[in-house]
């Protein structure tokens, strides 16, 4: 499915009770998933399969990712794109779950539109890094400007930091995705993400928020998790100690259970009549 945002076709999936039919009949508010940098809506396949029997589940290809256009849309406008999707679907209120970059977009939405976000889940998210960690991250992403060889080195090092085993299906799938990865775009978007200081805005998040971290994640340091805890007033924390940066793929059963235990089950004005599509 697609909708238009400022002349760009933006892709999303829409599954579960009430999908495309106005009022839903699920056990809780609609649930929106937002992928990380370089990812896409397909990353959440296990969550779509698990939650769509009970909730309306929406997965978005953020601008320039997956099947979505919009590489010219600035990172700090991604929240507007998400709100445009919510309007397009006629949804009044939903829960949002995001990984890393997607988590920052979800927190942005929660801060700017508190009446529309019933709960937020931020997975392995960071708002800023220490000078040493920032320098190391820039050195890693600069590899994307060195053609196919640089992309391969970048991916290998990134997967190691994310604690993804080399012989795993996740590792193989990530390496295959390099064939279509736009390295220059990812590097430019990475710069925007690093330049954006969202700490003042995140203090305005009033939705109940779950911070979920993989204990083996070497990409996002533990102090980033602690900082978010200090900034968000209504905040809970779950650490999956034996997972890395992608716990929703590494251990989907435990990840999904953590979300189930956190998310409110009562429907609070889930949706208006959706526009014809």
């Amino acid at each position: 499915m697609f909708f238009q945002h400022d002349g760009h076709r933006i892709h999303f999936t829409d599954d579960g009770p009430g999908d495309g039919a106005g009022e839903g009949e699920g056990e809780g508010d609609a649930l929106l998933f937002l992928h990380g940098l370089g990812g896409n809506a397909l990353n959440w396949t296990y969550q779509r399969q698990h939650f769509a029997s009970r909730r309306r589940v929406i997965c978005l290809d953020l601008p320039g990712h997956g099947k979505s256009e919009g590489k010219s849309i600035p990172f700090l406008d991604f929240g507007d794109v998400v709100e445009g999707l919510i309007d397009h679907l006629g949804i009044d209120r939903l829960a949002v779950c995001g990984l890393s970059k997607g988590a920052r977009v979800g927190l942005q939405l929660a801060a700017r539109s508190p009446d529309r976000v019933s709960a937020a889940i931020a997975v392995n998210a960071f708002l800023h890094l220490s000078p040493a960690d920032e320098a190391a991250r820039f050195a890693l992403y600069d590899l994307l400007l060195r053609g196919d060889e640089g992309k391969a080195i970048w991916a290998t090092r990134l997967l190691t930091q994310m604690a993804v085993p080399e012989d795993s299906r996740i590792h193989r799938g990530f390496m295959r995705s390099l064939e279509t990865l736009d390295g220059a775009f990812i590097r430019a978007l990475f710069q925007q993400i690093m330049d954006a200081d969202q700490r003042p805005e995140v203090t305005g998040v009033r939705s109940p928020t779950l911070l979920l971290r993989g204990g083996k994640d070497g990409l996002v340091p533990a102090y980033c998790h602690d900082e978010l805890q200090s900034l968000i007033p209504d905040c809970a924390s779950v650490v999956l100690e034996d997972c890395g940066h992608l716990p929703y793929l590494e251990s989907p059963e435990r990840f999904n259970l953590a979300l189930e235990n956190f998310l409110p089950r009562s429907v609070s004005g889930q949706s208006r009549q959706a526009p014809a599509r």
Side-chain angles (χ1 to χ4, degrees):
M1 298 181 182
F2 293 86
F3 76 104
Q4 291 283 328
H5 180 84
D6 288 346
H8 302 288
R9 275 164 51 90
I10 305 297
H11 175 257
F12 65 96
T13 64
D14 186 1
D15 302 285
D19 50 332
E23 293 295 334
E25 298 178 356
E27 66 179 21
D29 291 339
L31 179 55
L32 170 66
F33 287 99
L34 302 173
H35 60 79
L37 182 59
N40 58 64
L42 294 177
N43 297 160
W44 303 103
T45 296
Y46 291 129
Q47 286 65 52
R48 289 173 66 184
Q49 293 172 345
H50 181 81
F51 287 101
S53 64
R54 287 157 289 175
R55 291 177 181 265
R56 186 173 182 179
V57 177
I58 301 148
C59 301
L60 177 65
D61 279 342
L62 288 163
H65 293 73
K67 298 178 182 179
S68 288
E69 300 173 348
K71 290 181 179 179
S72 62
I73 298 174
F75 169 67
L76 286 177
D77 288 350
F78 281 16
D80 296 336
V81 177
V82 175
E83 194 143 19
L85 171 63
I86 297 170
D87 290 338
H88 172 77
L89 294 175
I91 295 174
D92 284 332
R93 192 165 169 83
L94 47 61
V96 59
C97 174
L99 168 72
S100 194
K101 175 199 70 179
R104 291 178 63 161
V105 177
L107 292 173
Q108 179 188 64
L109 178 70
R112 295 182 181 180
S113 302
D115 292 340
R116 307 194 77 168
V117 178
S118 58
I121 301 99
V123 184
N124 287 324
F126 76 97
L127 297 181
H128 90 292
L129 298 173
S130 71
D133 286 333
E134 182 175 308
R137 189 72 67 85
F138 271 108
L140 176 64
Y141 276 81
D142 283 346
L143 291 168
L144 291 172
L145 304 178
R146 292 170 43 186
D148 289 344
E149 180 183 358
K151 284 200 297 185
I153 298 171
W154 166 80
T156 299
R157 294 180 181 177
L158 181 69
L159 288 165
T160 298
Q161 291 188 30
M162 293 194 299
V164 176
E166 188 172 351
D167 60 349
S168 68
R169 181 181 49 80
I170 301 171
H171 193 288
R172 294 191 295 270
F174 193 98
M175 297 303 291
R176 286 195 300 270
S177 74
L178 295 182
E179 297 176 7
T180 56
L181 184 78
D182 185 339
F185 166 68
I186 296 300
R187 174 59 180 82
L189 185 56
F190 167 76
Q191 181 75 55
Q192 294 181 41
I193 293 168
M194 296 299 292
D195 288 344
D197 186 355
Q198 294 177 263
R199 286 174 289 178
E201 186 170 50
V202 163
T203 61
V205 172
R206 294 294 178 265
S207 307
T209 301
L210 174 66
L211 302 179
L212 199 154
R213 167 173 158 74
K216 292 184 176 180
D217 185 16
L219 188 64
V220 177
Y223 65 78
C224 298
H225 184 93
D226 297 338
E227 180 181 55
L228 276 166
Q229 279 190 285
S230 71
L231 292 173
I232 300 174
D234 186 359
C235 187
S237 172
V238 169
V239 179
L240 300 181
E241 294 289 355
D242 58 345
C243 288
H245 191 67
L246 307 173
Y248 59 96
L249 293 175
E250 299 167 67
S251 185
E253 297 85 1
R254 285 186 296 150
F255 181 89
N256 295 341
L257 180 60
L259 266 59
E260 277 189 342
N261 290 338
F262 171 74
L263 290 168
R265 285 183 166 80
S266 61
V267 178
S268 52
Q270 178 174 319
S271 48
R272 300 185 297 268
Q273 184 63 41
R277 293 183 287 182

